[in-house]
């Protein structure tokens, strides 16, 4: 088996590799040739940690395995990131462990790639202003990935604490794009594409903020109880997701489903658009919303790509196991 350490990953995988891996596995999920298994997430009663794993199998790529890890709130003080994860890949023919791969950077890359895939398939071709709601760890990855998908001319961003937008502003400068810190009302009035990537228990972006024709990638809600956008906005939008089972239980759509505003049948897997079995956006005025909940198969897809790249470049550590 191979080990690909966390510190090797940045030099191995590109955003394009991540995008291609995620687009392919979303297509396989919608074609029912790939399946995520039920997610486990538990408070372990030690170090205030939340631990769990996400697993699945893709019969097209033969990616089989799991991502295991979670959230250790005391890690910062130890010089580590609070989110920790590791991907384990298994040989689908024998069940033997094929690889162990650092999962921290990959999580950010695969999450940003999911938003970018949604922008490719759902945003208007004439989108020119990109809005980012949030400026935590994931936000810069989102900005870099999504900015590549349309000829954006400007970035507008909002964060609860505006001074924390400095890191996003620096990324925008690197990309050569003007950057404005704005109110949510101004962000919604100007942005043609909006990525929401906050960790909130109540709607931040309101229905009235968002203009017709906008594409939203709601990426922050990945747990029961979290919410980024008002239910009325979910009800107004044409809805897409990575996986319907997660969208209605832990994703942004959970609230609209729970209060009966939206039926489950209104939510379409993005993979169906990629496969051409769903037309996607219907009109230039329609609001489209991608509920990116984060599935285990995304992790396996990017981890498998990294293993192949690491073997090719001679940096995978081979272990007799
Ligand atoms: P982070 O802790 O680094 O940043 C949190 C962000 O949320 C900051 O911008 C903060 O200002 C904002 N925020 C927190 N509470 C808020 C509130 N009540 N109102 C408005 N804004 C608030 O987190 P991160 O690593 O950037 O992750 C952001 C979210 O994305 C988290 O909810 C995380 O669980 C989720 N996430 C989702 C996926 C996925 O696949 N969908 C993957 C990774 C992370």
């Amino acid at each position: 088996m191979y080990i690909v350490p966390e510190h090797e990953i940045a030099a191995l995988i590109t955003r394009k590799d991540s995008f291609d891996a995620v687009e392919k596995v979303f297509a396989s999920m919608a074609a029912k040739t790939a399946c995520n298994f039920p997610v486990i997430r538990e408070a372990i009663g030690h170090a205030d940690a939340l631990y769990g794993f996400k697993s699945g199998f893709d019969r097209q790529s033969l990616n089989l395995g799991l991502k295991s890890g979670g959230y250790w709130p005391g890690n910062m003080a130890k010089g580590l990131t609070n989110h920790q994860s590791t991907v384990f890949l298994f040989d689908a023919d024998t069940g033997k462990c094929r690889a162990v791969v650092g999962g921290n950077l990959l999580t950010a890359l695969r999450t940003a790639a999911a938003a970018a895939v949604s922008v490719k398939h759902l945003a208007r071709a004439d989108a020119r202003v990109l809005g980012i709601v949030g400026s935590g760890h994931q936000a810069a990855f989102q900005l870099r990935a999504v900015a590549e998908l349309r000829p954006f001319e400007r970035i507008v961003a909002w964060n609860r604490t505006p001074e924390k937008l400095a890191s996003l502003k620096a990324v925008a400068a690197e990309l050569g794009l003007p950057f404005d810190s704005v109110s949510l009302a101004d962000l919604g009035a100007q942005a043609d594409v909006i990525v929401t990537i906050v960790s909130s228990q109540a709607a931040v972006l309101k229905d009235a903020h968002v203009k017709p024709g906008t594409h939203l990638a709601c990426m922050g809600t990945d747990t029961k109880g979290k919410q980024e956008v008002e239910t009325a906005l979910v009800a107004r939008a044409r809805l897409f997701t990575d996986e319907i089972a997660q969208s209605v239980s832990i994703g942004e759509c959970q609230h609209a489903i729970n209060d009966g505003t939206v039926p489950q049948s209104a939510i379409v897997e993005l993979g169906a658009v990629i496969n051409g079995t769903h037309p996607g956006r219907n009109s230039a005025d329609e609001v489209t919303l991608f509920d990116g909940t984060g599935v285990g198969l995304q992790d396996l897809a990017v981890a498998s790509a990294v293993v192949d790249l690491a073997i090719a470049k001679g940096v995978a550590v081979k272990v007799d196991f």
Side-chain angles (χ1 to χ4, degrees):
M1 62 166 261
Y2 294 97
I3 297 173
V4 185
E6 182 71 42
H7 65 86
E8 296 285 3
I9 289 173
L12 287 170
I13 189 163
T14 62
R15 277 194 293 284
K16 167 96 171 66
D17 297 327
S18 305
F19 182 99
D20 290 347
V22 169
E23 187 179 47
K24 218 184 245 179
V25 79
F26 281 174
S28 189
M29 283 162 53
K32 305 296 170 219
T33 48
C35 175
N36 291 288
F37 305 142
V39 175
I40 302 289
R41 197 164 159 87
E42 299 285 340
I44 61 171
H46 177 79
D48 278 336
L50 276 177
Y51 165 79
F53 49 91
K54 290 183 164 184
S55 61
F57 178 47
D58 179 357
R59 291 204 311 276
Q60 284 190 18
S61 62
L62 297 186
N63 288 335
L64 171 69
L66 60 92
K67 177 170 86 168
S68 181
Y71 188 72
W72 273 258
N75 271 7
M76 231 34 155
K78 300 173 186 162
L80 298 168
T81 45
N82 289 354
H83 289 274
Q84 287 295 329
S85 62
T86 307
V87 181
F88 296 81
L89 296 173
F90 298 93
D91 184 319
D93 294 318
T94 64
K96 271 186 74 76
C97 187
R98 179 182 153 227
V100 177
V101 186
N104 293 350
L105 176 60
L106 286 182
T107 298
L109 291 174
R110 64 75 147 149
T111 305
V117 170
S118 84
V119 169
K120 173 181 169 186
H121 292 280
L122 297 172
R124 290 165 51 149
D126 61 357
R128 294 294 176 269
V129 180
L130 169 58
I132 306 276
V133 176
S135 73
H137 177 70
Q138 303 290 331
F141 291 93
Q142 292 284 331
L143 171 53
R144 284 182 199 281
V146 170
E148 288 173 344
L149 269 295
R150 291 289 183 276
F152 289 110
E153 294 168 355
R154 203 154 54 85
I155 309 297
V156 288
W158 176 90
N159 194 54
R160 193 171 51 159
T161 41
E163 57 278 11
K164 296 218 168 118
L165 287 169
S167 53
L168 272 190
K169 189 176 180 180
V171 174
E174 218 182 277
L175 300 174
L177 291 167
F179 180 95
D180 290 312
S181 162
V182 294
S183 67
L184 281 167
D186 285 345
L187 185 144
Q190 294 173 36
D192 305 307
V193 170
I194 301 175
V195 176
T196 59
I197 184 75
V198 294
S199 174
S200 172
Q201 300 282 328
V204 174
L205 192 66
K206 302 286 159 50
D207 184 36
H209 292 146
V210 174
K211 66 178 181 178
T214 302
H215 172 64
L216 292 132
C218 296
M219 306 306 297
T221 297
D222 56 358
T223 306
K224 197 167 185 263
K226 283 189 187 173
Q227 186 173 15
E228 295 187 294
V229 306
E230 207 175 27
T231 308
L233 179 54
V234 175
R236 171 158 67 119
R238 185 169 291 271
L239 301 171
F240 300 87
T241 188
D242 40 23
E243 188 189 80
I244 289 168
Q246 287 200 177
S247 173
V248 301
S249 55
I250 59 169
E252 193 58 44
C253 289
Q254 61 179 288
H255 309 285
I257 291 287
N258 290 344
D259 69 15
T261 318
V262 163
Q264 183 168 321
S265 58
I267 310 170
V268 172
E269 286 189 357
L270 180 58
V273 184
I274 299 167
N275 286 336
T277 57
H278 187 280
R281 169 177 289 279
N282 244 349
S283 74
D285 279 348
E286 188 168 66
V287 172
T288 51
L289 186 153
F290 172 64
D291 182 3
T293 66
V295 294
L297 282 167
Q298 276 170 267
D299 298 297
L300 306 188
V302 289
S304 179
V306 154
V307 172
D308 292 345
L309 290 161
I311 293 170
K313 290 197 173 167
V315 297
V317 181
K318 197 169 181 187
V319 178
D320 193 11
F321 180 72

